[in-house]
Amino acid sequence: MIDELTRLSKSPLGNPTRLAIALYLLPRERTTFSSLRKALKLTPGNLEFHLKALEEAGIIRTYYGFGKRPRKFVEITEEGVEELEEVMRILREVIGHD
C-alpha cells in the first residue's frame, strides 16, 4: 500500500484540490474559471495557483473566449484524463488492500 501511495503523491493530482479540479472537469470537459471557482469554493488566487501547476503538468489547458465579456475557460486534456484514470486505479488498489 505504501508503494501505491508514494506513486500517488508524485502525481500532479496527488493534491486534493488538484484532484477535485480534474474530477469536476472530467464529465464536463470544459468549464469557466468562475464556475469552477464557485463549485469548489476556492478563492481566485488559490484556484489560479492550482490551475497553473496543472497546466504546467499538461493536465489542463486554459484559454480566453469572448462573448459579452472575456471569460477564462478551463478544460481537461487527454493527458489529464489518462492521469486521472491512473490515480483512480491507484486509489482502487489502496482501497482493495487491508
Side-chain angles (χ1 to χ4, degrees):
M1 175 166 53
I2 295 298
D3 290 340
E4 290 90 353
L5 292 174
T6 300
R7 283 193 321 226
L8 182 61
S9 72
K10 293 178 182 177
S11 167
L13 300 177
N15 174 286
T17 300
R18 294 175 192 163
L19 179 57
I21 291 167
L23 288 169
Y24 184 84
L25 288 171
L26 186 63
R28 292 164 184 84
E29 294 181 14
R30 176 182 78 164
T31 191
T32 63
F33 180 90
S34 178
S35 295
L36 183 59
R37 185 186 62 75
K38 289 174 187 171
L40 300 181
K41 298 181 172 124
L42 297 170
T43 65
N46 194 357
L47 179 56
E48 194 64 55
F49 172 81
H50 289 290
L51 291 180
K52 182 178 179 188
L54 289 173
E55 194 161 29
E56 288 174 357
I59 303 293
I60 60 134
R61 179 173 88 92
T62 63
Y63 59 94
Y64 287 90
F66 298 92
K68 290 182 180 179
R69 64 182 197 279
R71 290 182 163 200
K72 184 173 188 171
F73 289 94
V74 182
E75 68 181 26
I76 193 163
T77 63
E78 264 187 58
E79 295 83 7
V81 171
E82 291 170 8
E83 183 67 21
L84 182 55
E85 288 171 350
E86 176 65 11
V87 166
M88 297 307 292
R89 187 189 64 71
I90 292 169
L91 290 172
R92 281 193 285 284
E93 280 182 35
V94 170
I95 291 169
H97 286 73
D98 292 326

